[in-house]
Amino acid sequence: MNAVLIVAALSAANGCLYASSRMIHSLALDGMAPRAAAHTCQNGSPRTAVGIATAGMVLASILSLVSPDDAFLTLYGCATAGVLVTWSTVMYTHLKFRRATAELPPHRLAFSPVTNWIVIGACAAIFILLYPLLPIVWYAGLPYLVVLGGAYLLTRSRQRRQASS
């Protein structure tokens, strides 16, 4: 039985490594991740992206070894912060898109912009209410927001400089 569990865990880890490294590579090709991750070796393997994804898996493994009682909730809290930030960003981006677009697309978000603000408000409420239950969401989420905001401002300033030159 243990062998089956080990093989299943390794298979899941391999799938996650494959998917995450390909996502990092694709983001790098689009200029949304470090350029080094866009590099592929002669056989087409994105080794730098695989290395970045592997580093994340190693950090998670070290966390589970150093703090086995708290590892799951820590990783869960980080993922929760990521989901809340992602959904808020998607809704805010949609609001900006709708304001900037004169012609409405054929597929629209029902009851927009009210739906957008409800989702953003719900994400903010969940984030606030999670502090007593899962404080790691705050400890991971606030630095994540700062890094994400800084990366956005840096990328936007680079794009404006390139457009002006």
Side-chain angles (χ1 to χ4, degrees):
M1 187 65 170
N2 285 340
V4 171
L5 290 175
I6 290 171
V7 168
L10 289 174
S11 176
N14 185 48
C16 289
L17 180 63
Y18 178 83
S20 60
S21 64
R22 294 314 188 265
M23 184 182 304
I24 292 167
H25 176 70
S26 179
L27 288 169
L29 289 174
D30 291 339
M32 293 184 263
R35 267 186 230 137
H39 176 73
T40 55
C41 61
Q42 288 180 338
N43 66 358
S45 174
R47 287 193 182 158
T48 305
V50 171
I52 293 169
T54 301
M57 292 180 77
V58 167
L59 285 173
S61 298
I62 290 171
L63 177 65
S64 71
L65 292 172
V66 171
S67 181
D69 295 337
D70 299 327
F72 176 75
L73 284 179
T74 300
L75 293 173
Y76 179 72
C78 291
T80 301
V83 167
L84 293 173
V85 169
T86 299
W87 273 105
S88 297
T89 303
V90 166
M91 290 294 114
Y92 182 72
T93 303
H94 182 257
L95 283 170
K96 299 284 280 186
F97 169 76
R98 288 290 299 268
R99 285 189 199 130
T101 307
E103 185 178 326
L104 292 176
H107 303 288
R108 295 184 289 277
L109 177 65
F111 309 112
S112 178
V114 174
T115 306
N116 298 73
W117 288 112
I118 288 172
V119 171
I120 291 170
C123 287
I126 291 168
F127 187 79
I128 291 166
L129 293 172
L130 276 176
Y131 183 72
L133 300 171
L134 197 58
I136 190 66
V137 172
W138 280 67
Y139 304 144
L142 293 178
Y144 177 61
L145 280 172
V146 169
V147 169
L148 195 62
Y152 169 73
L153 293 173
L154 181 65
T155 303
R156 187 176 68 174
S157 69
R158 279 186 189 166
Q159 288 173 345
R160 286 184 178 170
R161 273 183 284 168
Q162 288 173 352
S164 67
S165 58

